[in-house]
């Protein structure tokens, strides 16, 4: 399988949104979680234009994407403090391509992109189901932090470049 990675185009926002929702649904989360995640998982043309968003394709079809955002100032989201710096905001792979190295290729691409732009590390808020993936790629677990879903936590990681 030949995986190609390229910069996303703003007109791909609906395709990327679909991938994000389908990838999250793969884990059989309760439907009410998706009401909370609706804005977070919806990729807009503006988001694509303002951030580093890159698409993985196989045979010309989008099968996953990654985004890196720069947080210019610390800010609070509920009980969580989001620190200034660069964040791996999204990495999603369509369920039919999970386990086919798409996620690993996206991470390799992100690492190279960060090296080229003198970014020394990425912060990551990991879905509980992705912890093993981040452990395998060498991200460093920092702590469990509150999720935007009441009574749930997510893992904060630091990924040195």
């Amino acid at each position: 399988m030949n995986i190609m990675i390229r910069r996303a185009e703003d007109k791909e926002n609906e395709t990327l949104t679909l991938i994000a929702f389908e990838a999250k649904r793969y884990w059989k989360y309760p439907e009410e979680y998706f009401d909370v995640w609706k804005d977070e998982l919806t990729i807009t043309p503006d988001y694509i234009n303002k951030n580093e968003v890159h698409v993985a394709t196989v045979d010309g079809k989008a099968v996953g994407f990654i985004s890196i955002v720069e947080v210019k100032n610390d800010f609070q989201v509920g009980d969580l403090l989001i620190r200034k710096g660069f964040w791996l905001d999204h990495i999603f792979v369509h369920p039919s391509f999970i386990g086919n190295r798409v996620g690993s290729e996206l991470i390799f691409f992100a690492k190279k992109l960060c090296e080229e732009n003198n970014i020394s590390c990425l912060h990551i808020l990991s879905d509980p189901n992705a912890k093993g993936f981040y452990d395998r790629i060498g991200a460093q677990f920092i702590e469990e932090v509150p999720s935007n879903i009441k009574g749930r936590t997510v893992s904060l990681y630091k990924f040195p470049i």
Side-chain angles (χ1 to χ4, degrees):
M1 179 169 47
N2 191 17
I3 302 165
M4 303 293 295
I5 300 175
R6 60 167 173 74
R7 188 161 182 92
E9 298 176 30
D10 60 6
K11 65 184 180 186
E12 294 179 289
N13 68 298
E14 290 179 12
T15 299
L16 301 186
T17 297
L18 183 66
I19 290 170
F21 274 89
E22 288 186 16
K24 272 293 204 196
R25 281 197 168 92
Y26 176 82
W27 300 109
K28 310 272 190 261
Y29 285 117
E31 199 56 36
E32 59 267 18
Y33 284 18
F34 291 92
D35 294 335
V36 175
W37 291 331
K38 184 177 187 274
D39 290 343
E40 182 181 327
L41 296 177
T42 299
I43 307 302
T44 64
D46 190 50
Y47 180 87
I48 292 170
N49 288 326
K50 288 184 176 176
N51 298 292
E52 287 291 335
V53 182
H54 297 267
V55 180
T57 63
V58 173
D59 297 328
K61 180 183 177 195
V63 299
F65 72 98
I66 195 165
S67 66
I68 297 171
V69 300
E70 181 179 9
V71 174
K72 298 199 187 268
N73 298 296
D74 293 355
F75 68 94
Q76 196 79 29
V77 178
D79 295 333
L80 178 62
L81 177 65
I82 302 293
R83 297 257 178 222
K84 174 182 174 179
F86 290 90
W87 289 78
L88 178 62
D89 195 31
H90 293 302
I91 179 171
F92 287 112
V93 175
H94 190 278
S96 61
F97 286 86
I98 290 175
N100 288 296
R101 298 207 39 83
V102 175
S104 298
E105 290 295 324
L106 284 165
I107 288 294
F108 178 76
F109 179 87
K111 191 170 184 174
K112 185 176 167 198
L113 185 67
C114 289
E115 287 169 353
E116 291 169 359
N117 289 285
N118 297 314
I119 297 169
S120 61
C121 88
L122 291 174
H123 303 284
I124 304 166
L125 288 173
S126 169
D127 183 280
N129 291 297
K131 288 172 69 170
F133 174 76
Y134 290 117
D135 291 337
R136 280 191 302 279
I137 64 163
Q140 300 166 350
F141 174 79
I142 305 296
E143 64 180 333
E144 289 294 316
V145 297
S147 166
N148 53 2
I149 304 286
K150 278 259 188 261
R152 181 175 178 266
T153 63
V154 294
S155 299
L156 175 63
Y157 279 88
K158 180 179 173 179
F159 183 49
I161 304 300

